Amino acid sequence: QVKLVESGGGSAQSGGSLNLSCEVFGSDSKFDFSETCMGWFRLAPGQERVGVARISRDGGLRTYGDSARDRFIISRDNVKRTVYLEMNNLRPEDTGVYVCGAGLYNCGSRWTNWAETLRYTGQGTQVTVSS
């Protein structure tokens, strides 16, 4: 059984920073963390999943959503089986539940529907940004 556990969410003021982590526990015949494209998406009330960032198995390819580009940094540690999201210069529109996901496909796949093509997801961590 594979479980993704996010942490690090909370409240911040506009312009502030937060650091999220997603640690992966367990394995199965279809999942190897070090071979999997991992990433984050955001859930907000009344909205569909919004892809935030994803990172290839070796960290060499990173893709960011329009709102995250130039402000957020995604990284990973394959030994610790953890994915990180450094969030800087936060804005109120960044508010939502940030969910970690393990991709079904490699990070070269189409970005626009990445958040809908995940093998596993976590429960999410709430991020609230006030102005």
Side-chain angles (χ1 to χ4, degrees), residues 1-50:
Q1 184 179 0
V2 177
K3 188 174 182 181
L4 282 61
V5 180
E6 301 94 339
S7 61
S11 298
Q13 294 208 326
S14 184
S17 299
L18 286 171
N19 294 306
L20 307 185
S21 298
C22 168
E23 187 172 2
V24 179
F25 299 90
S27 63
D28 63 25
S29 61
K30 297 180 180 180
F31 178 77
D32 180 340
F33 178 85
S34 64
E35 296 292 326
T36 300
C37 175
M38 299 292 298
W40 296 86
F41 65 90
R42 183 179 71 243
L43 286 171
Q47 295 183 11
E48 297 181 351
R49 295 181 176 184
V50 175

Side-chain angles (χ1 to χ4, degrees), residues 31-39 54-60 62 74-79 81-84 107:
F31 178 77
D32 180 340
F33 178 85
S34 64
E35 296 292 326
T36 300
C37 175
M38 299 292 298
R54 69 180 180 185
I55 184 168
S56 63
R57 58 185 183 176
D58 64 355
R62 308 180 194 198
I74 189 170
S75 60
R76 68 189 292 162
D77 185 327
N78 285 344
V79 173
R81 306 184 90 207
T82 301
V83 182
Y84 305 96
C107 278

Side-chain angles (χ1 to χ4, degrees), residues 37-41 51-54 99-107 109-118:
C37 175
M38 299 292 298
W40 296 86
F41 65 90
V52 176
R54 69 180 180 185
V99 183
C100 177
L104 273 171
Y105 309 111
N106 65 42
C107 278
S109 62
R110 192 170 70 173
W111 165 245
T112 52
N113 67 340
W114 176 83
E116 304 299 331
T117 55
L118 298 172

Side-chain angles (χ1 to χ4, degrees), residues 59-103:
L61 179 62
R62 308 180 194 198
T63 307
Y64 295 93
D66 290 341
S67 65
R69 195 171 297 118
D70 299 327
R71 296 189 299 126
F72 297 178
I73 300 173
I74 189 170
S75 60
R76 68 189 292 162
D77 185 327
N78 285 344
V79 173
K80 295 181 178 179
R81 306 184 90 207
T82 301
V83 182
Y84 305 96
L85 186 67
E86 177 185 335
M87 308 170 72
N88 301 304
N89 192 18
L90 285 162
R91 304 166 179 166
E93 53 264 40
D94 294 323
T95 294
V97 176
Y98 283 73
V99 183
C100 177

